Amino acid sequence: VSSNGNRDAVLWVAGTTPASLFAIDVATGMELFAATPPSVRQWTPIVVADGRVYVTGARTVSLYTTR
């Protein structure tokens, strides 16, 4: 989950079969973003920092940005 203080909360979800990344607005439940990274490892921690989302794969790191 990422947020701007106590507002604008976003739930980030990574799937492994097939590899997928979703962003869901916590307040409305609406999908904000969907992508297909090259690969996603099982039990992958999604790292969100400074408006960027990092997803690790078997041999890759995918970067997504909202800016």
Side-chain angles (χ1 to χ4, degrees):
V1 175
S2 63
S3 68
N4 183 11
N6 62 354
R7 59 190 188 122
D8 303 326
V10 175
L11 173 64
W12 295 93
V13 181
T16 57
T17 309
S20 56
L21 176 66
F22 298 96
I24 300 168
D25 185 317
V26 172
T28 65
M30 294 187 64
E31 183 179 289
L32 302 173
F33 176 83
T36 304
S39 65
V40 175
R41 285 198 236 171
Q42 189 173 10
W43 310 112
T44 300
I46 300 169
V47 178
V48 180
D50 195 30
R52 295 176 179 90
V53 180
Y54 300 87
V55 181
T56 59
R59 291 184 167 82
T60 63
V61 175
S62 299
L63 168 65
Y64 298 90
T65 182
T66 56
R67 296 179 185 176

